[in-house]
Amino acid sequence: MLAYFLISVLFLTPIQSAHFRGGTIYWIPVDPTTTSSTVVVTVIQTYLWRLSAVPCVYTGFATSGYIPCVTDCSTSGSYTSTTLSAQTTCISSSPSIDAMTGQGIRNITLTAESHFTIAYQGGAWVTLANDFSGGGGGWSVSSVIDLRRREDGIFNTPPMSYVHSPQYVVLNRTKSISIPVLDVNQGDDVRCRWAHYSR
């Protein structure tokens, strides 16, 4: 089975603020062998912010709103626009690089055989070095949830990867960036798809 790990950050229209540094939305079925008509999945949201704009409050940092369905919503089963909160708790911060990380982990129950894409979207993409336009572009962190059973009768567990954001490189120098990937469904073909820039 072909499994995709989706890295999706989309730049849109510049705005004044610039504090978002990237993130991921990852999910796994709690019991991939269930024969029930509903499936409990654990969704892990991790977002990185500019610490001087978004303070790290260990008792809970709340990003506002919910994670909507953005693609194939007619096959999203029981997922609604308020199924998944965007709230996260600060789990780490680093004043030296002006960064904080917020994470939210929660279980949601979905209809078996549903397949759709969710996305956490907003503005205020952090300003890039030497980007004199001021940064602040729009972004979208998305995840494809696919609860169609595999040929072997179980629900797929998507591959997992983590790349620290942002990555710093020296202008006109080659840098190798390692992207570790783990897929518990052995033998799956794992590929990366890269986001594209637009204005």
Side-chain angles (χ1 to χ4, degrees):
M1 181 174 197
L2 181 64
Y4 284 102
F5 173 72
L6 183 63
I7 300 174
S8 180
V9 177
L10 177 65
F11 295 91
L12 300 171
T13 306
I15 58 175
Q16 293 297 324
S17 184
H19 54 262
F20 187 72
R21 291 179 177 250
T24 59
I25 301 174
Y26 177 73
W27 64 274
I28 55 173
V30 172
D31 178 7
T33 62
T34 184
T35 57
S36 173
S37 61
T38 59
V39 183
V40 177
V41 299
T42 300
V43 181
I44 303 165
Q45 301 172 71
T46 306
Y47 307 121
L48 294 92
W49 307 89
R50 188 163 54 92
L51 180 62
S52 56
V54 183
C56 186
V57 180
Y58 285 95
T59 56
F61 164 69
T63 53
S64 61
Y66 295 91
I67 309 299
C69 174
V70 294
T71 306
D72 296 327
C73 299
S74 63
T75 56
S76 65
S78 55
Y79 193 87
T80 69
S81 61
T82 59
T83 297
L84 185 60
S85 170
Q87 281 192 332
T88 61
T89 298
C90 180
I91 59 172
S92 68
S93 66
S94 174
S96 63
I97 61 171
D98 194 20
M100 69 84 76
T101 303
Q103 188 173 78
I105 302 173
R106 49 188 58 84
N107 287 346
I108 59 174
T109 302
L110 300 172
T111 307
E113 301 302 315
S114 57
H115 51 96
F116 57 100
T117 302
I118 59 174
Y120 183 38
Q121 300 174 320
W125 180 257
V126 71
T127 304
L128 300 177
N130 299 321
D131 178 4
F132 300 107
S133 65
W139 47 265
S140 178
V141 178
S142 64
S143 181
V144 177
I145 296 179
D146 191 339
L147 294 176
R148 293 174 288 191
R149 286 182 174 83
R150 298 160 46 102
E151 290 179 3
D152 56 12
I154 67 171
F155 293 102
N156 188 56
T157 298
M160 176 187 292
S161 181
Y162 182 77
V163 178
H164 180 71
S165 177
Q167 291 283 329
Y168 295 98
V169 296
V170 177
L171 188 64
N172 297 323
R173 297 248 181 111
T174 301
K175 179 179 179 179
S176 177
I177 299 174
S178 177
I179 303 176
V181 178
L182 170 67
D183 192 333
V184 299
N185 302 119
Q186 294 187 7
D188 281 3
D189 182 11
V190 180
R191 304 179 188 180
C192 288
R193 291 186 294 182
W194 299 99
H196 53 84
Y197 174 85
S198 64
R199 275 197 191 253

